[in-house]
């Protein structure tokens, strides 16, 4: 639980700050792109009519860089084009030059990009034909690309530093919760251990009393004491199991290959007469030879909890279904009971400790069984969840990795 809390804390910090950092970097790149484009447009507007006007220059690392440009005049019938001025631009490739001029004349907009030629153009009509100005955008693209790479590297470095800081912050922020949780877990474990001895004494004495000849009223009281003590012992055992699951030893103690198909069939055979006695039908559909890694005793307990829950809460005369099949690299165990569908809020809280969904369910058990089952599933790197359908079926799914 504490580890999950730390992970959530780190994830929230990384998402929030990462989103802000990404927005800032994107804003910087968009602003820079707009600035470079505006500078390029300014060059076009300045040189289209003034042949001798020098190109726009920028200073980068104390080096002046001028944008290459050239201007063209095209006579009205389009049969000739005259280069009227140029600066820092190679005009050796006449074929590409003519292609760029024709492409600029064919465009609907008077200003735009010719990406195939790496040029930005400005076109204006005159009484003598067309006046065209072109500026090379390779420097603009190079600056923008370099800025994007630098921004990405800075962003990754910042995220790395942020992650390290988030880990320390998460540990610091969760430390009081961790201390409180450890104290609570220790209290539950100690209290459960302390309760076991008096409960054992009570049950042993009631067993001895039941062997004696007692009046009907005394025997009735003795049976009540024995029943209450047995329920209390079951609660104590469940609390101890939860305390062990919450401890740092979260892995199964006895990990080995387990034939889950065999365990499921055995559990179904054990609960079939129980379901029959309760007036309910247990059906099974189990795929053979499904092997998982885990503790056989704990996996058996998980199956027993799910089947016991289904027998308790299935409607009188209803059905119970147990199925097991493989899906890719995972085994999917499903226990379904036909009864009252659980509401959405109940499905979200049903695995909480001591939670019982409704009055019909509150008369049986302590509300710890499904919590224990979920802990067992998590110990085996699995997932346990519940769903309901409108037809009155409640489905409990457990997904476990195959061996």
């Amino acid at each position: 639980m504490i580890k999950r809390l730390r992970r959530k804390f780190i994830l929230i910090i990384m998402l929030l700050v990462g989103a802000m950092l990404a927005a800032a970097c994107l804003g910087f790149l968009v602003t820079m792109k707009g600035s470079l484009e505006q500078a390029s447009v300014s060059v076009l507007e300045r040189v289209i009519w003034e042949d001798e006007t020098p190109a726009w220059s920028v200073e980068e690392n104390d080096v002046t860089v001028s944008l290459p440009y050239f201007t063209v005049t095209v006579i009205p019938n389009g049969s000739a084009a005259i280069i009227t001025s140029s600066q820092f631009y190679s005009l050796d490739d006449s074929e590409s030059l003519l292609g760029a001029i024709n492409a600029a004349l064919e465009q609907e907009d008077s200003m735009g990009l010719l990406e195939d030629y790496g040029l930005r153009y400005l076109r204006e009509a005159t009484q003598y034909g067309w006046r065209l100005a072109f500026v090379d955008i390779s420097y603009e693209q190079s600056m923008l690309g370099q800025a994007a790479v630098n921004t990405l590297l800075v962003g990754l470095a910042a995220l790395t530093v942020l992650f390290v800081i988030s880990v320390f912050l998460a540990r610091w922020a969760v430390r009081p919760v961790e201390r409180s949780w450890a104290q609570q877990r220790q209290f539950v474990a100690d209290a459960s251990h302390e309760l076991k001895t008096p409960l054992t004494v009570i049950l042993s004495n009631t067993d001895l009393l039941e062997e004696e000849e007692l009046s009907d009223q005394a025997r009735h009281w003795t049976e009540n004491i024995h029943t209450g003590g047995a329920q209390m012992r079951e609660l104590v055992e469940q609390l101890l199991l939860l305390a062990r699951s919450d401890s740092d030893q979260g892995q199964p103690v006895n990990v080995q290959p387990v034939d889950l198909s065999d365990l499921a069939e055995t559990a179904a055979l054990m609960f079939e007469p129980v379901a029959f006695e309760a007036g309910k039908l247990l059906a099974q559909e189990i795929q053979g030879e499904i092997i998982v890694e885990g503790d056989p005793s704990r996996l058996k307990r998980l199956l027993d909890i799910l089947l016991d829950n289904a027998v308790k809460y299935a409607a009188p005369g209803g059905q119970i279904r147990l199925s097991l099949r493989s899906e890719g690299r995972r085994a999917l165990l499903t226990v379904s009971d036909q009864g009252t569908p659980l509401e959405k809020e109940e499905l979200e809280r049903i695995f909480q400790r001591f939670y019982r969904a409704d009055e019909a369910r509150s008369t049986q058990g302590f509300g710890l069984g499904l919590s224990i089952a979920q802990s067992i599933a998590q110990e085996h790197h699995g997932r346990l969840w519940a769903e309901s359908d409108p037809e009155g079926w409640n489905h409990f799914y457990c997904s476990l990795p195959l061996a």
Side-chain angles (χ1 to χ4, degrees):
M1 174 183 173
I2 300 299
K3 289 182 180 179
R4 290 198 300 272
L5 187 60
R6 284 200 199 105
R7 292 192 193 104
K8 287 182 180 179
F9 189 89
I10 294 171
L11 181 62
I12 290 172
I13 292 178
M14 294 294 291
L15 287 176
L16 289 177
V17 181
M20 294 174 61
L21 185 62
C25 292
L26 183 61
F28 168 74
L29 291 175
V30 170
T31 303
M32 184 176 182
K33 183 175 184 294
S35 177
L36 290 171
E37 288 180 356
Q38 184 58 42
S40 181
V41 170
S42 298
V43 171
L44 292 174
E45 292 175 345
R46 288 165 54 189
V47 304
I48 191 167
W49 295 114
E50 301 178 20
D51 297 346
E52 300 303 324
T53 303
W56 174 77
S57 301
V58 294
E59 292 186 0
E60 183 183 16
N61 298 330
D62 299 328
V63 177
T64 300
V65 181
S66 297
L67 294 181
Y69 76 92
F70 65 95
T71 57
V72 178
T73 299
V74 182
I75 62 175
N77 60 9
S79 60
I82 303 171
I83 307 296
T84 55
S85 67
S86 67
Q87 185 172 350
F88 310 118
Y89 193 86
S90 175
L91 302 175
D92 297 336
D93 191 348
S94 58
E95 184 177 347
S96 296
L97 180 62
L98 289 174
I101 294 171
N102 291 329
L105 292 172
E106 292 171 359
Q107 300 298 315
E108 294 183 1
D109 298 327
S110 60
M111 181 184 294
L113 283 176
L114 302 176
E115 294 184 359
D116 292 342
Y117 299 94
L119 297 170
R120 176 175 279 108
Y121 72 90
L122 174 61
R123 182 186 68 214
E124 291 190 8
T126 69
Q127 57 181 338
Y128 304 108
W130 293 99
R131 181 77 169 177
L132 301 173
F134 297 89
V135 65
D136 194 328
I137 60 171
S138 58
Y139 177 74
E140 175 186 332
Q141 293 174 336
S142 174
M143 284 188 66
L144 193 61
Q146 187 61 43
V149 172
N150 292 338
T151 302
L152 179 62
L153 293 176
V154 171
L156 290 176
L159 286 177
T160 303
V161 173
L162 174 65
F163 176 77
V164 175
I165 295 174
S166 299
V167 170
F168 285 102
L169 281 177
R171 290 179 180 175
W172 173 78
V174 175
R175 192 170 298 144
V177 180
E178 186 175 8
R179 190 181 302 115
S180 175
W181 180 254
Q183 291 173 349
Q184 177 185 341
R185 186 176 62 233
Q186 189 63 41
F187 169 76
V188 172
D190 292 344
S192 301
H193 276 295
E194 292 298 325
L195 285 171
K196 286 186 72 176
T197 301
L199 282 173
T200 303
V201 173
I202 291 171
L203 291 172
S204 299
N205 281 277
T206 52
D207 288 338
L208 292 173
L209 284 173
E210 287 176 351
E211 294 177 1
E212 301 292 330
E213 293 184 4
L214 302 173
S215 63
D216 292 341
Q217 188 176 17
R219 185 169 296 279
H220 176 70
W221 290 340
T222 305
E223 289 175 353
N224 286 343
I225 294 172
H226 191 278
T227 301
Q231 290 177 345
M232 182 65 73
R233 181 173 61 184
E234 182 184 357
L235 174 59
V236 168
E237 289 175 351
Q238 291 183 354
L239 287 173
L240 276 172
L241 181 58
L242 284 173
R244 284 195 296 268
S245 298
D246 291 337
S247 67
D248 293 335
Q249 300 173 353
Q251 298 298 324
V253 230
N254 182 23
V255 179
Q256 61 186 35
V258 179
D259 190 337
L260 193 59
S261 301
D262 186 52
L263 281 182
E265 289 175 357
T266 303
L269 287 175
M270 289 179 58
F271 275 90
E272 195 170 358
V274 179
F276 180 79
E277 187 177 348
K280 302 161 188 178
L281 178 63
L282 174 59
Q284 56 177 299
E285 186 178 347
I286 300 172
Q287 180 181 333
E289 298 182 354
I290 293 184
I291 310 297
V292 299
E293 290 279 349
D295 186 333
S297 62
R298 296 196 185 189
L299 290 172
K300 177 182 180 301
R301 187 175 184 87
L302 183 147
L303 280 160
D304 291 346
I305 290 172
L306 294 180
L307 286 171
D308 180 65
N309 183 76
V311 171
K312 284 180 179 176
Y313 301 125
Q319 295 184 21
I320 300 164
R321 295 175 184 168
L322 169 64
S323 72
L324 176 65
R325 67 179 186 274
S326 60
E327 289 190 347
R329 292 297 305 160
R330 300 187 74 84
L332 181 63
L333 173 71
T334 308
V335 178
S336 308
D337 64 87
Q338 190 179 25
T340 306
L342 294 168
E343 301 293 334
K344 182 179 179 181
E345 180 183 354
E346 294 172 338
L347 290 172
E348 293 174 352
R349 300 181 58 194
I350 198 166
F351 295 103
Q352 295 179 2
R353 296 173 186 183
F354 298 105
Y355 177 77
R356 285 169 290 191
D358 51 33
E359 294 181 358
R361 292 176 178 255
S362 64
T363 57
Q364 307 180 63
F366 304 104
L368 290 174
L370 290 176
S371 297
I372 294 172
Q374 189 177 57
S375 296
I376 295 172
Q378 291 172 351
E379 288 173 350
H380 290 76
H381 308 288
R383 177 173 170 248
L384 180 63
W385 74 99
E387 295 178 3
S388 290
D389 60 41
E391 298 177 358
W393 285 90
N394 296 311
H395 309 280
F396 290 84
Y397 300 98
C398 182
S399 176
L400 297 169
L402 295 172

